[in-house]
Amino acid sequence: MEFSKVPEINETGRLLVRRPDGETEFHELHGDTRVGRAEDMDLVLEDPSVSRQHALLRWEDGAQFVIADLGSANGTWRNGDRIALPVPLRNGDDLRMGSVEMRFLAPRGVHEGHRGASVRETLDATSTMGQQAGEVQPTLIARAPLMMAALELAHQASQSPIPVMIEGETGTGKELLARAIHADGPRADAPFVAINCASLPEGLLESELFGHRKGAFTGASTDRIGLLEAAHGGSVLLDEIGEMPPAMQPKLLRFLQEGEIHRIGENQPRNVDVRVLGATHRCLADEVREGRFREDLFFRLTPIMISLPPLRDRIEDVPLLAGRLLARACRRHERPEIGLSAGALRVLSAYSWPGNVRELENELLRAVAMNPQKEILEEADLSSRILAPEAGSDALESLNSASGSQDSEVPGGGAVGTALTDVDSDTSGDNASLRGALSRFERQHIEDVLEKKNGNVSATARALGVSRGALHRKLKDFGLR
């Protein structure tokens, strides 16, 4: 039997467009492509949030695509940042025009860059925290042993062609880790395509994954390649794979076993070569035991399992993450970088973060947006659910009362001097582990700032918002002087 080959697309880039109604389509980019609501646009987006002439994608110097906003009302966004000037596009970049989302897939052979940092770059950046970490995603920066172990395992897995399953709660960075695994491996220059298995009904999910022929079902007005074909030579992420309908599971299993797909309405199989990555917030082993997930599919998808810890289990990373996410929030709001008082940092570190890193990022985005004139965010600038959460409020109260004796020594009422009690203070009871962890955060934060200021105590005290006397006492307490 001869298999038809997946078509190679060398001369064009592509946009995978997901419209607000959930429908997706591919649009090939031939040279300059004007995008907007007007009928004479090259790519017409019939959505009221899109301007008549919204954006332009231009092929420059025979080397790369560049995107420029054409003065749209709702802006053109790349990877979460609104663009003001023309910017180059890289394979896998997420774009948004109004409420229409899309993903850019670069032409074959022109993948000179890829979105996100590799796992190896992430690990390297973690070990040199005082340096700029390039494009390393803040979510994947870590010092916590659990997270560092997950990143190291991901780096090892990136060099293998076999499937990887990433388990973790919502907001822990599963898709970012999948992208890093792709970027770190031999398929980095090929497409990375992600699909959320929970967001589509069964019939549409099959069409999205495998594609369909014109006339295969009502509404199939053209031939369409599926996302597995679109990722040929690269990687595909099956996000929320635990939500895949039971009827779809044997079809995915057949693809994993045979390496071939059938478009809906076609009898001819097609070879597709992709590296499969999965992600789920569920425990798939439990789903198998409950009969909701096929055992044979589970074993096919899980030769390598990576568990991402929730933020509450890597709480020592909160100051580091907060600093990176705050800087990114400032860039998104097009304002100079600002800081966090130690009081605010203490509150952030004591919160349990049920929404994980995503919740932390949203909290800092809100704080930056609501305090446009501030150079230092204080405790009062945080939202009420962070200041007085039902879970963890006793720990906060204990920390606040314990550090109250030092508050009068801190100008402005918030910085390292108020963050914690002394290292040797009472650590009995349920708060012992939290208090010890926060002490370690505070020590590391002081060390980082002191190093950044080249050991200058006065400059460090000013940066931290504390008096020289308070800082000297902290340095002595922590054995740093």
Side-chain angles (χ1 to χ4, degrees), residues 132-207:
Q132 181 67 27
E135 294 188 11
V136 173
Q137 290 286 352
T139 307
L140 298 181
I141 294 294
R143 285 179 180 151
L146 281 174
M147 190 64 179
M148 288 294 290
L151 292 177
E152 186 60 52
L153 178 57
H155 171 62
Q156 295 171 2
S158 68
Q159 307 306 308
S160 168
I162 64 176
V164 175
M165 180 61 62
I166 305 170
E167 289 187 340
E169 295 179 6
T170 299
T172 51
K174 296 186 292 296
E175 181 172 347
L176 292 178
L177 186 62
R179 289 181 179 277
I181 290 172
H182 170 76
D184 209 27
R187 297 172 181 258
D189 290 338
F192 175 96
V193 176
I195 183 169
N196 190 312
C197 299
S199 65
L200 299 171
E202 180 181 319
L204 185 55
L205 179 60
E206 182 177 3
S207 175

Side-chain angles (χ1 to χ4, degrees), residues 26-41:
F26 281 101
H27 182 87
E28 293 189 359
L29 304 172
H30 298 277
D32 290 358
T33 301
R34 297 175 303 152
V35 185
R37 203 174 69 250
E39 293 181 358
D40 62 345
M41 294 292 101

